[in-house]
Amino acid sequence: MTTPIEIRLPTAEFRSLPIPGQSGHGKTSKVGFCYVQANDVPEELGDWLKVNPRMPTRKEKDHSLTGRVAKRIVETLDENPQIFALKNQGIYILADKVDFTKEQGGQGFVRIRLTDELRHGVVNGGHTYHSIRQVIEDPGMEDPETAYVQLHIMENIDPENITELAEGLNRSLQVTDHALANLEGKFEEIKTALAGKIGSDNISYAMGYPGDVDIQEVLFIMGMLNIKEFPNDKKHPNRIFGSPTRVLELFKNDMDIPEGKPEDYSAFRRMLPALHELLILHENIIAETAEPDKLGLLGKKKGKNVRATKEFPAIFTKGLKLKKHMAVGLTYPILAAFRVNIDQAEWAKGNFKWLVPPLELLSETIADLSQVVKNEYEENKQQPALVGKKQAAYDRCYSKLFMELVRKGKSVS
């Protein structure tokens, strides 16, 4: 039996309302609302999860979270913590008692008392709780101190209603991605292109599929190198950054194009023979930029040391070790710049070929590319998502690779 605890969290405001028609132990049921800093969410709350029927899955080796929901939460905490309060549904807690006080100096505190693990604890929001704790505990990630999470704290809930409450909350918040379901047939071509390649069985093609890599990550990587949609330095793929809906729509419309006139072709389908190479390129960009002399120390706080971070194997690149998960807002501008390295003459013939082997070009330019991204990061209030959304980083990275290819005597359109 878990020992009763009282959790004390700083918060500026707290509001409580009665729940109509509900009572427990002769007292009116209530629900309170407040926002707390994500990095204040305590570890001990993890001992109070028995009332929650839906928990995230974890890898056997390092116990890190898997699955689309958890990975998207972690991505928001890492990439764009300032809007976490808007994007996340919050954590629902059943409590024995909750109260709010303002202490000397005006600082407010909410106190949550949990006494019975079968009646109290996180009834919904287990993915959110575990994702927050993973980011806090990962030495390779910045503490989410600018992220706020909403707490929904309910007290005096009739024990007989807890099961229905838990099932109702979790069912209502499940994500059914109809777009992905409808596109599963199109994904067969991706599966065929990657068949037998390293990491091919580690892609999750729909909700509930196993795999560490969301199919949407694959589509984003292809979208960053789509020279039909983004042919030059006048139009960059920052337009699709952070928008799964846009990249899905782009993919769907592209794959639906019937072959006919020379200009009627599917860019995604044209990239399929090189898809595994594209995935390898992005992993190597992550590995290179994670070095302390590149981008690996951006956002490091509380003495966290990237050199001490536990390494983990890359998914698509044999023998490559990654030191940390880099924010895609920092890596995608570099990846997108490699559009200039695609041989336009071969592309016009229906082939995907590089002007220069991409890993060779990456090795020669990564220092300059990292400096470009670092400057943009600092100019955009140290928010990786803003770097990924704005054109400037894409434009400057593209220019760096353009000039390097010119220096090599390559014909660049």
Side-chain angles (χ1 to χ4, degrees):
M1 194 72 176
T2 304
T3 303
I5 63 168
E6 182 175 280
I7 297 170
R8 180 175 178 268
L9 302 173
T11 184
E13 300 289 343
F14 179 82
R15 296 289 183 270
S16 179
L17 295 171
I19 301 175
Q22 298 298 313
S23 63
H25 301 294
K27 298 179 181 179
T28 300
S29 301
K30 297 180 181 180
V31 59
F33 308 90
C34 66
Y35 284 94
V36 301
Q37 282 188 306
N39 61 349
D40 283 333
V41 173
E43 181 179 7
E44 56 263 37
L45 195 57
D47 295 329
W48 296 81
L49 300 172
K50 287 190 176 181
V51 292
N52 192 333
R54 186 167 175 254
M55 283 287 107
T57 56
R58 295 179 177 273
K59 298 180 185 177
E60 291 184 8
K61 290 184 178 180
D62 59 8
H63 301 291
S64 59
L65 299 172
T66 63
R68 179 172 292 130
V69 175
K71 292 185 74 173
R72 285 182 179 173
I73 296 172
V74 169
E75 181 178 300
T76 302
L77 288 167
D78 190 39
E79 286 271 327
N80 207 1
Q82 291 80 6
I83 67 167
F84 189 74
L86 295 176
K87 293 187 69 173
N88 188 265
Q89 299 267 9
I91 300 174
Y92 290 72
I93 300 173
L94 299 179
D96 176 52
K97 180 68 177 176
V98 58
D99 61 55
F100 173 73
T101 58
K102 285 202 172 184
E103 300 183 358
Q104 189 173 2
Q107 175 64 63
F109 288 90
V110 61
R111 292 179 177 81
I112 308 167
R113 181 168 174 77
L114 310 175
T115 60
D116 184 342
E117 63 184 0
L118 299 181
R119 295 191 298 119
H120 305 142
V122 178
V123 69
N124 186 65
H127 287 76
T128 297
Y129 165 78
H130 283 291
S131 298
I132 289 172
R133 291 306 310 175
Q134 177 169 307
V135 173
I136 291 173
E137 294 164 10
D138 187 338
M141 290 186 174
E142 182 179 353
D143 289 331
E145 56 187 29
T146 58
Y148 282 81
V149 60
Q150 184 175 184
L151 301 185
H152 311 255
I153 311 161
M154 292 174 276
E155 59 178 323
N156 301 327
I157 299 297
D158 189 333
E160 293 186 1
N161 293 333
I162 290 176
T163 299
E164 290 188 22
L165 170 65
E167 290 179 352
L169 283 172
N170 281 278
R171 184 182 299 117
S172 66
L173 296 180
Q174 285 180 358
V175 178
T176 302
D177 200 330
H178 296 291
L180 284 178
N182 292 334
L183 286 170
E184 281 194 68
K186 299 291 191 299
F187 295 155
E188 290 302 320
E189 293 189 53
I190 291 180
K191 294 176 185 178
T192 300
L194 294 176
K197 304 287 180 65
I198 295 173
S200 61
D201 57 352
N202 222 331
I203 297 174
S204 175
Y205 287 92
M207 184 69 73
Y209 276 53
D212 296 324
V213 180
D214 193 317
I215 181 57
Q216 290 186 346
E217 294 179 44
V218 176
L219 299 185
F220 269 117
I221 289 169
M222 297 179 77
M224 290 291 142
L225 293 160
N226 185 343
I227 62 172
K228 180 182 180 182
E229 187 72 18
F230 309 107
N232 49 43
D233 61 350
K234 305 301 181 185
K235 186 180 180 183
H236 291 288
N238 63 299
R239 302 178 183 210
I240 62 172
F241 177 84
S243 177
T245 301
R246 287 181 186 174
V247 79
L248 278 169
E249 189 67 18
L250 179 61
F251 175 75
K252 179 181 182 299
N253 292 340
D254 181 87
M255 294 291 280
D256 284 342
I257 294 174
E259 296 288 345
K261 299 177 182 178
E263 64 271 19
D264 292 336
Y265 67 90
S266 165
F268 279 87
R269 192 171 280 121
R270 191 163 291 186
M271 286 187 275
L272 285 177
L275 177 53
H276 194 255
E277 192 174 2
L278 307 187
L279 299 175
I280 289 174
L281 172 60
H282 187 239
E283 284 189 328
N284 277 268
I285 291 172
I286 293 171
E288 292 282 357
T289 54
E291 292 296 328
D293 62 337
K294 304 297 190 305
L295 306 178
L297 296 181
L298 296 187
K300 304 311 293 178
K301 294 184 180 181
K302 294 186 179 180
K304 289 182 177 178
N305 184 353
V306 71
R307 294 186 185 277
T309 303
K310 183 178 179 181
E311 293 184 338
F312 53 96
I315 292 173
F316 303 104
T317 310
K318 184 178 180 180
L320 182 66
K321 298 290 185 180
L322 304 180
K323 290 185 177 180
K324 64 176 290 189
H325 296 280
M326 294 296 297
V328 292
L330 305 180
T331 61
Y332 278 2
I334 295 175
L335 174 66
F338 277 79
R339 301 189 328 277
V340 74
N341 188 38
I342 297 173
D343 189 324
Q344 296 272 4
E346 288 295 326
W347 180 269
K349 298 176 185 177
N351 305 317
F352 187 102
K353 289 188 177 181
W354 301 105
L355 295 171
V356 174
L359 298 187
E360 174 187 319
L361 186 60
L362 176 66
S363 177
E364 294 169 342
T365 59
I366 188 59
D368 288 341
L369 294 171
S370 294
Q371 189 59 52
V372 166
V373 173
K374 184 177 181 180
N375 292 342
E376 291 298 322
Y377 173 82
E378 292 171 349
E379 290 176 14
N380 284 283
K381 302 178 182 178
Q382 299 185 355
Q383 297 181 35
L386 291 183
V387 179
K389 288 178 181 178
K390 295 187 176 180
Q391 180 173 327
Y394 293 81
D395 202 27
R396 292 171 187 172
C397 286
Y398 191 97
S399 296
K400 289 287 184 183
L401 289 192
F402 181 93
M403 294 306 297
E404 178 63 20
L405 290 169
V406 171
R407 186 186 70 78
K408 288 177 173 293
K410 298 298 179 180
S411 177
V412 182
S413 300

